[in-house]
């Protein structure tokens, strides 16, 4: 993998700049690594809270993700570590299990809860690696971007709302802790109970983050956290009632399998589906966005395999789920990273910080941590991507439903609903194909949709049709019915149709239902003494016809590479 790193550096180095340029780029990786380390360490502490786990589990996940991705990953900018979305979804999934109390969590996570969450991460990682081995990296496309944007927006709102009690110094009743809308109402309806020293600390932390983020090369979150710890010790914030994070244990890094009964593993295998989709969709979206912006290319299957390996390693070492979050990855790119060396430098810096400064983190005020989480999610609260989709007048129902699903149903069921929405929309579009009639443009070999091109003309005696969606089990019957309706219209107009040319350019393969429907269509046309000819037939479909229906659909005299070839052949056939 050293060769890969060298190649990445070489590819980023303009020709003719030699060793000096490489040193320059290495210094940029150093700056980026420092910046990323300053962001990841407070995020790990914060996201462990979202997962209801001790901080050590987040630190293990962060170190495992950084190490494995630096060795085997393909993106120059991706930073694999715990993310707010994966932490929140994993916790919601485990809390839904009877094993851990059906949604209620004690003040201190039980051993059953911890083991179940680690098992969920292990299963998700194994599933990611299995999908990569099966070359299924394209599966992320089945979660549409509008749905993913709506989910991310609603999830960010949910997480930010859940940080408000820590930022205001409020203690919530159990019934308001899990519903973000009830929690928000509780926070603002109990304004007199706000703890004002805590509120002032939150405001100071927010002001510090806004100030330091003017310089992308500075680790703003880390600077604010260091200043907050100093202030806590010198001003006696704990004595004023400002809560602290408390003691943080050193990670054990002890490899072991989660200890759960077999039936609980099976239940978790079902719940892992949502986490798998979220990790890859979120990570691939971050990686691909940064790759396109910088002219890089990525292999989806390779990234899927590495992400799976990161999560398997994290789970075996008692760590949280990890992914390539947009905030850390974009911060890495903005700070000037040129290769995966930046992630390795961040790993080294974090290890040094843990060795020398971990005990000091106990004095970190909880409101500062809450503000750090809100800051990390601030980009996700930007409604611009949703407004952009809305302005296109496309997918408005999808994006609205995704937002409502998360806010109303919760993170886990909201994620599953978002996936279901994407799949339902795909099936709806595929199962409602439009069959267009084509006509010929005068003086050319081109055939276009007659409704859109009045200058085109029909070919006498030949009805030329094209389904606008692939044929498969949910669309084939409708295509056949539409073909017969077009034919009935032409018969009523007494055009004397003797041949139907069906263009299959949208169908790269056919399932058994689509094949049977085409065979039935040929028989129905044959009963009316009408010939069915097929054009734009792909090689794979040709082989299927020859194998399954050699004397019918597989007749070489009735299969053509182009519509024009089919028209000329059918005209010549009718003259014989």
């Amino acid at each position: 993998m050293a060769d890969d790193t060298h190649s990445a550096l070489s590819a980023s180095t303009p020709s003719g700049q030699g060793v000096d340029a490489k040193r320059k780029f290495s210094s940029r990786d150093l700056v980026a690594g420092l910046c990323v380390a300053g962001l990841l360490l407070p995020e790990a502490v914060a996201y462990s809270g979202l997962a209801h786990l001790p901080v050590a589990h987040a630190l293990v996940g962060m170190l495992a993700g950084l190490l494995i991705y630096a060795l085997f990953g393909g993106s120059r900018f991706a930073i694999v570590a715990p993310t707010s979305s994966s932490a929140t979804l994993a916790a919601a999934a485990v809390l839904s299990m009877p094993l851990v109390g059906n949604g209620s969590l004690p003040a201190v996570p039980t051993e059953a809860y911890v083991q179940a969450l680690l098992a969920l991460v292990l299963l998700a990682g194994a599933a990611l690696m299995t999908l990569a081995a099966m070359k299924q990296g394209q599966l992320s496309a089945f979660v549409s971007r509008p749905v993913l944007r709506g989910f991310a927006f609603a999830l960010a709102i949910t997480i930010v709302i859940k940080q408000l009690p820590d930022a205001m110094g409020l203690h919530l009743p159990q019934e308001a802790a899990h519903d973000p809308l009830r929690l928000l109402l509780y926070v603002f309806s109990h304004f007199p109970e706000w703890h004002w020293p805590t509120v002032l600390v939150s405001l100071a932390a927010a002001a510090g983050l806004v100030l330091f983020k003017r310089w992308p090369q500075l680790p703003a979150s880390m600077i604010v956290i260091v200043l907050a710890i100093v202030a806590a010790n010198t001003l006696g914030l704990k004595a004023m009632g400002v809560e602290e994070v408390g003691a943080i244990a050193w990670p054990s890094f002890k490899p072991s399998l989660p200890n759960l009964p077999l039936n609980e593993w099976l239940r978790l295998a079902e719940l892992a589906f949502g986490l798998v989709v979220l990790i890859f969709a979120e990570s691939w979206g971050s990686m691909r966005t940064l790759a396109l912006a910088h002219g890089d290319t990525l292999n989806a299957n390779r990234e899927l395999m590495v992400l799976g390996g990161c999560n398997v390693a994290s789970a075996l070492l008692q760590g949280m789920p990890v992914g390539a979050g947009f905030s850390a990855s974009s911060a890495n790119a903005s700070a000037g990273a040129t290769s995966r060396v930046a992630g390795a430098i961040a790993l080294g810096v974090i290890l040094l910080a843990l060795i020398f400064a971990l005990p000091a983190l106990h004095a970190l005020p909880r409101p500062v941590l809450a503000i750090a989480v809100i800051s990390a999610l601030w980009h996700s609260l930007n409604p611009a991507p949703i407004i952009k989709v809305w302005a296109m007048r496309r997918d408005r129902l999808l994006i609205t439903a995704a937002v409502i699903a998360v806010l109303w149903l919760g993170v886990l069921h909201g994620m599953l609903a978002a996936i279901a929405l994407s799949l339902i929309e795909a099936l709806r579009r595929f199962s409602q194909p439009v069959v267009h009639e084509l006509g010929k443009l005068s003086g050319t070999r081109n055939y276009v949709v007659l409704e859109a091109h009045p200058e085109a003309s029909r070919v006498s005696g030949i009805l030329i049709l094209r389904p606008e969606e692939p044929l498969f089990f949910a669309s084939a019957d409708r295509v056949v019915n539409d073909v017969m309706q077009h034919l009935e219209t032409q018969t009523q107009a007494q055009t004397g149709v003797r041949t139907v040319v069906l263009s299959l350019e949208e169908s790269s393969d056919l399932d058994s239902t689509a094949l049977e429907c085409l065979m039935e269509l040929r028989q129905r046309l044959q009963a009316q003494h009408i010939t069915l000819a097929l054009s734009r037939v792909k090689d794979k479909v040709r082989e299927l016809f020859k194998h399954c229906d050699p004397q019918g659909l597989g007749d070489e005299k009735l299969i053509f590479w182009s519509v024009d070839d089919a028209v000329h052949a059918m005209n010549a056939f009718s003259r014989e």
Side-chain angles (χ1 to χ4, degrees):
M1 300 309 298
D3 290 339
D4 291 342
T5 304
H6 175 72
S7 299
L9 275 171
S10 300
S12 303
T13 304
S15 59
Q17 293 188 19
V19 177
D20 291 339
K22 290 184 180 179
R23 287 178 179 169
K24 177 182 178 182
F25 282 99
S26 295
S27 66
R28 292 170 63 185
D29 282 331
L30 176 61
V31 171
L34 291 170
C35 181
V36 168
L39 177 68
L40 288 184
L41 195 53
E43 281 190 354
V45 178
Y47 296 162
S48 65
L50 298 179
H52 306 298
L53 287 173
V55 176
H57 295 281
L59 298 176
V60 169
M62 176 178 59
L63 297 174
L66 286 173
L67 176 61
I68 293 177
Y69 196 84
L71 291 174
F72 304 112
S75 170
R76 290 190 290 159
F77 308 112
I79 296 296
V80 177
T83 66
S84 58
S85 54
S86 63
T88 306
L89 182 59
V94 174
L95 285 174
S96 70
M97 298 178 63
L99 176 72
V100 296
N102 285 318
S104 61
L105 185 74
V108 178
T110 63
E111 183 63 18
Y113 174 85
V114 174
Q115 293 300 310
L117 196 143
L118 295 177
L120 180 69
V121 178
L122 181 61
L123 289 169
L128 287 166
M129 297 182 75
T130 302
L131 290 172
M134 296 170 62
K135 308 296 184 184
Q136 296 301 308
Q138 77 280 1
L139 287 179
S140 65
F142 280 89
V143 182
S144 70
R145 293 187 183 185
V147 166
L148 194 58
R149 286 169 181 164
F151 173 81
F153 181 70
L155 180 61
I157 292 175
T158 299
I159 295 173
V160 167
I161 289 175
K162 288 185 176 183
Q163 302 309 305
L164 294 179
D166 280 345
M168 308 303 178
L170 283 173
H171 294 280
L172 295 176
Q174 186 67 30
E175 61 272 13
H178 300 294
D179 185 339
L181 299 181
R182 290 182 66 184
L183 192 156
L184 185 64
L185 178 62
Y186 182 90
V187 168
F188 286 99
S189 62
H190 289 71
F191 175 79
E193 299 176 21
W194 289 9
H195 185 250
W196 287 104
T198 299
V199 173
L200 291 175
V201 170
S202 298
L203 292 174
L209 285 169
V210 171
L211 174 64
F212 291 120
K213 281 191 174 183
R214 294 182 178 182
W215 300 277
Q217 290 76 19
L218 292 178
S221 296
M222 181 63 80
I223 293 173
V224 169
I225 283 177
V226 170
L227 293 176
I229 292 173
V230 172
N233 289 322
T234 56
L235 301 178
L237 296 181
K238 185 177 181 180
M240 299 179 189
V242 178
E243 293 189 11
E244 297 179 346
V245 169
I248 297 176
W250 177 261
S252 64
F253 301 108
K254 181 181 179 181
S256 64
L257 282 171
N259 183 19
L260 287 175
L262 177 60
N263 63 315
E264 300 298 339
W265 280 97
L266 296 176
R267 169 64 176 155
L268 284 167
E270 300 172 1
L271 296 173
F273 174 69
L275 185 59
V276 167
V277 173
L278 176 63
I279 288 174
F280 187 51
E282 178 186 40
S283 300
W284 179 244
S286 302
M287 294 172 179
R288 188 170 180 273
T289 298
L290 293 171
L292 290 174
H294 294 83
D296 296 343
T297 57
L298 294 174
N299 184 316
N301 291 311
R302 173 181 175 177
E303 300 306 317
L304 191 63
M305 179 66 76
V306 178
L307 284 169
C310 290
N311 279 279
V312 167
S314 178
L316 293 177
L317 294 172
Q318 318 300 302
M320 282 175 54
V322 294
F326 185 75
S327 60
S329 299
S330 60
N332 191 32
S334 299
T338 62
S339 73
R340 295 195 303 275
V341 172
I345 291 172
L347 173 63
V349 172
I350 290 170
L351 280 172
L352 291 174
L354 293 179
I355 292 171
F356 295 105
L358 185 61
L361 281 176
H362 82 278
L364 175 64
R366 293 192 66 85
V368 175
L369 201 55
I371 296 300
V373 174
I374 294 173
S375 174
L377 291 170
W378 197 252
H379 70 279
S380 297
L381 292 173
N382 184 358
I386 294 178
I387 294 173
K388 181 179 179 181
V389 172
W390 196 270
M392 294 177 184
R393 299 183 179 180
R394 294 291 186 275
D395 301 318
R396 289 180 171 181
L397 179 60
L398 275 180
I399 203 166
T400 304
V403 172
I404 293 174
V406 175
L407 295 178
W408 184 31
L409 301 176
V411 176
L412 174 62
H413 295 100
M415 179 63 190
L416 296 177
I419 296 170
L421 284 170
S422 292
L423 296 177
I424 290 170
E425 174 63 10
L427 288 174
R428 186 192 69 82
R429 292 178 66 87
F430 282 138
S431 63
Q432 297 183 0
V434 176
V435 178
H436 282 135
E437 183 180 357
L438 306 183
K440 184 175 183 180
L441 288 175
S442 179
T444 72
R445 288 170 50 90
N446 299 324
Y447 289 79
V448 295
V449 178
L450 279 172
E451 292 180 2
H453 297 272
E455 69 275 18
S457 58
R458 291 186 174 91
V459 178
S460 177
I462 300 178
L463 176 61
I464 308 169
L465 301 173
R466 181 181 69 201
E468 296 300 323
E469 301 286 354
L471 269 66
F472 73 118
F473 66 88
S475 66
D477 269 324
R478 185 181 176 97
V479 167
V480 169
N481 291 334
D482 284 357
V483 170
M484 298 307 297
Q485 288 179 5
H486 277 280
L487 181 61
E488 183 180 350
T489 301
Q490 294 300 315
T491 301
Q492 292 173 355
Q494 298 182 347
T495 56
V497 174
R498 59 182 182 272
T499 301
V500 171
V501 174
L502 187 64
S503 176
L504 298 180
E505 61 190 83
E506 299 295 336
S507 300
S508 59
D509 198 2
L510 300 176
D511 58 25
S512 60
T513 302
L515 176 61
E516 289 178 0
C517 286
L518 287 177
M519 294 168 66
E520 293 166 3
L521 174 62
R522 183 186 66 81
Q523 292 170 0
R524 292 172 66 178
L525 294 176
Q526 192 175 41
Q528 299 182 36
H529 306 289
I530 296 174
T531 302
L532 174 64
L534 302 172
S535 67
R536 304 296 297 275
V537 183
K538 305 291 194 299
D539 288 324
K540 198 170 184 178
V541 178
R542 284 172 179 258
E543 293 299 322
L544 180 65
F545 289 159
K546 290 177 182 178
H547 175 72
C548 298
D549 192 18
Q551 304 303 317
L553 299 175
D555 187 346
E556 293 186 358
K557 296 179 181 179
L558 298 175
I559 301 179
F560 304 93
W561 293 113
S562 71
V563 174
D564 195 59
D565 289 342
V567 170
H568 281 293
M570 292 299 97
N571 278 331
F573 178 76
S574 65
R575 290 194 293 268
E576 293 179 357

